[in-house]
Amino acid sequence: MKPETSPSATDRPIDPDLIPDNPYLLLTPGPLSTSKSVRATMLRDWCTWDDDYNHGVVQDVRERLVSLATSLPGYTSVLVQGSGTFGVEATVGSVVPEDGKLLVLANGGYGDRIVQIAERLRIANGVLDSGEIAPPDCAALEATLTADPAVTHVAVVHCETTTGILNPLADIAAVVKGCGRTFIVDAMSSFGGIPMDVEALGIDFLVSSANKCIEGVPGFCFVIAREESLERSRGRARSLSLDLHEQWRTMEEGHGKWRYTSPTHVVRAFQQALRELDAEGGVAARHNRYAENQRVLVKGMESLGFRCLLPPQHQSPIITAFFEPDDDAYGFARFYEEIKRQGFVIYPGKVSVADTFRIGTIGQVFPDDVQRLLRAIGAACYWHPEHDDMVSGASD
Ligand SMILES: *Cc1c(COP(=O)(O)O)cnc(C)c1O
């Protein structure tokens, strides 16, 4: 006899209208503001060995990720518990062989973190650091790879969230592939928000996480891998729980089974977020929205007298760093509180070359929200002599 309710009928998320509003909009690069319909999916429990979850959710998510990454064959995806850094550490620690060497192109905090991971795992490494506000030097990269045959792997951060700089992935990829090295990309804050094809770029391992441009909630990360490169990394892992190859084998053989407890609610929310990305028109449409958010932001901030840290040709649509006002009366803490009181949360700066604060333009954030934000920022410029005029004039 047929059960009264089919499994799919039981996966009926509650009406998103019943989900409360957030008290403020997150203008941070993750965790970020998510849709109510994504949050609504998290109100039921899942069995981690049942097909409803393994096949219906996990495998679907894995397939969707691969199709976002490339239209060409030869790639797979592995989901890993933990925040984005766990994915970078799982990848670096699982794919560089004992006698291998990792060269890191660094220009910010997340590039530095890859070096830190290599150091901690006692992986031989080298760094090409281009400073915090310049892209990697491709000629220096080529010279280093030619001079140092010991280097087996190259890693770079695509969008360095420290400043919002967008590193020239295609140029870097061409050098790495031309020199025959394995290519690892931390695309944490760009994947899903900036169009790219991993196969066309020759990326072997791309790492990203649930709570960035796909607009899910935090709790796991994922690696898009060239199958051949992943296959070659069997037995290389320096960690049990962060063994990328083992995690992949289990997911493949178990048809969506995770090795250890998976963040079920978060994975289901991520599936919903992927469906909503599709409904928005895919990565190209999302990229257009983020780029428009960022354009409106910079135009409005400049009219309020703020200046961007980066020149526009290096600036990503993901997050923008602004110089702090050169005024003794200004303090970030009060500025932040005054903006938060009006319903927006911004992000402190992270670079050492200048005093900055940052504003993210990803997540469920739309140009109208940015206009409202600009009015709030105008009202929060308490130190400014023309403060009262700015309150009304910011976004006109
Ligand atoms: C967010 C992010 C990470 C991962 O940070 P977690 O705090 O571990 O999620 C790594 N690299 C970049 C470029 C990021 O933006």
Side-chain angles (χ1 to χ4, degrees), residues 175-233:
V175 175
V176 176
K177 288 294 107 179
C179 295
R181 305 317 213 277
T182 302
F183 193 25
I184 301 169
V185 177
D186 169 348
M188 208 70 64
S189 63
S190 58
F191 186 75
I194 297 178
M196 65 182 93
D197 188 297
V198 290
E199 150 72 41
L201 289 165
I203 295 172
D204 293 282
F205 300 96
L206 176 146
V207 189
S208 189
S209 84
N211 61 286
K212 301 241 165 145
C213 295
I214 312 278
E215 301 185 0
V217 302
F220 75 97
C221 51
F222 56 87
V223 180
I224 312 279
R226 185 193 296 279
E227 272 185 73
E228 212 184 289
S229 308
L230 187 52
E231 196 55 81
R232 231 180 302 130
S233 65

Side-chain angles (χ1 to χ4, degrees), residues 4 50 56 96 152 166 171 176 230 245 271-272 322 344 354 385 395:
E4 275 181 19
D50 191 279
V96 181
T152 50
L166 191 63
D171 297 347
V176 176
L230 187 52
H245 185 274
Q271 181 185 39
Q272 177 64 22
F322 295 95
F344 304 92
S395 59

Side-chain angles (χ1 to χ4, degrees), residues 379-395:
C381 294
Y382 61 87
W383 64 91
H384 202 286
E386 288 151 49
H387 172 240
D388 292 344
D389 303 336
M390 298 167 85
V391 176
S392 53
S395 59

Side-chain angles (χ1 to χ4, degrees), residues 29 83-86 110 113 157 159-161 186 188-189 209 212:
S83 82
T85 305
F86 291 62
Y110 293 102
R113 192 176 295 176
V157 177
C159 172
E160 187 34 278
T161 320
D186 169 348
M188 208 70 64
S189 63
S209 84
K212 301 241 165 145

Side-chain angles (χ1 to χ4, degrees), residues 42-60:
M42 290 189 283
L43 295 171
R44 67 152 284 190
D45 304 315
W46 294 88
C47 172
T48 53
W49 53 264
D50 191 279
D51 240 18
D52 287 347
Y53 179 68
N54 291 335
H55 185 267
V57 180
V58 179
Q59 292 297 74
D60 179 55

Side-chain angles (χ1 to χ4, degrees), residues 56-294:
V57 180
V58 179
Q59 292 297 74
D60 179 55
V61 160
R62 293 183 62 213
E63 283 161 24
R64 282 172 184 269
L65 283 173
V66 174
S67 62
L68 281 186
T70 183
S71 53
L72 300 159
Y75 280 80
T76 187
S77 67
V78 192
L79 315 183
V80 180
Q81 295 92 334
S83 82
T85 305
F86 291 62
V88 178
E89 185 154 354
T91 304
V92 169
S94 299
V95 309
V96 181
E98 212 170 316
D99 57 355
K101 180 174 176 180
L102 177 69
L103 178 68
V104 182
L105 302 174
N107 55 354
Y110 293 102
D112 293 345
R113 192 176 295 176
I114 301 177
V115 178
Q116 223 182 335
I117 288 169
E119 284 286 313
R120 182 63 64 93
L121 297 176
R122 298 192 172 84
I123 293 170
N125 66 86
V127 189
L128 277 179
D129 195 323
S130 52
E132 284 171 320
I133 52 175
D137 179 344
C138 286
L141 170 62
E142 184 154 23
T144 305
L145 292 180
T146 308
D148 189 355
V151 173
T152 50
H153 292 63
V154 176
V156 71
V157 177
H158 182 206
C159 172
E160 187 34 278
T161 320
T162 308
T163 53
I165 195 170
L166 191 63
N167 286 324
L169 202 48
D171 297 347
I172 297 165
V175 175
V176 176
K177 288 294 107 179
C179 295
R181 305 317 213 277
T182 302
F183 193 25
I184 301 169
V185 177
D186 169 348
M188 208 70 64
S189 63
S190 58
F191 186 75
I194 297 178
M196 65 182 93
D197 188 297
V198 290
E199 150 72 41
L201 289 165
I203 295 172
D204 293 282
F205 300 96
L206 176 146
V207 189
S208 189
S209 84
N211 61 286
K212 301 241 165 145
C213 295
I214 312 278
E215 301 185 0
V217 302
F220 75 97
C221 51
F222 56 87
V223 180
I224 312 279
R226 185 193 296 279
E227 272 185 73
E228 212 184 289
S229 308
L230 187 52
E231 196 55 81
R232 231 180 302 130
S233 65
R234 179 197 294 271
R236 289 180 181 171
R238 293 158 178 84
S239 159
L240 174 68
S241 54
L242 295 178
D243 184 332
L244 195 65
H245 185 274
E246 274 290 305
Q247 185 89 345
W248 177 52
R249 284 319 318 158
T250 305
M251 280 189 178
E252 285 290 302
E253 283 157 18
H255 304 287
K257 200 178 163 337
W258 295 52
R259 269 191 315 159
Y260 309 129
T261 301
S262 80
T264 49
H265 304 71
V266 172
V267 180
R268 175 63 185 90
F270 189 71
Q271 181 185 39
Q272 177 64 22
L274 283 164
R275 288 176 184 162
E276 291 179 16
L277 172 58
D278 240 15
E280 184 172 347
V283 178
R286 181 151 296 179
H287 176 251
N288 288 343
R289 172 163 63 87
Y290 291 169
E292 179 63 5
N293 286 345
Q294 202 269 341

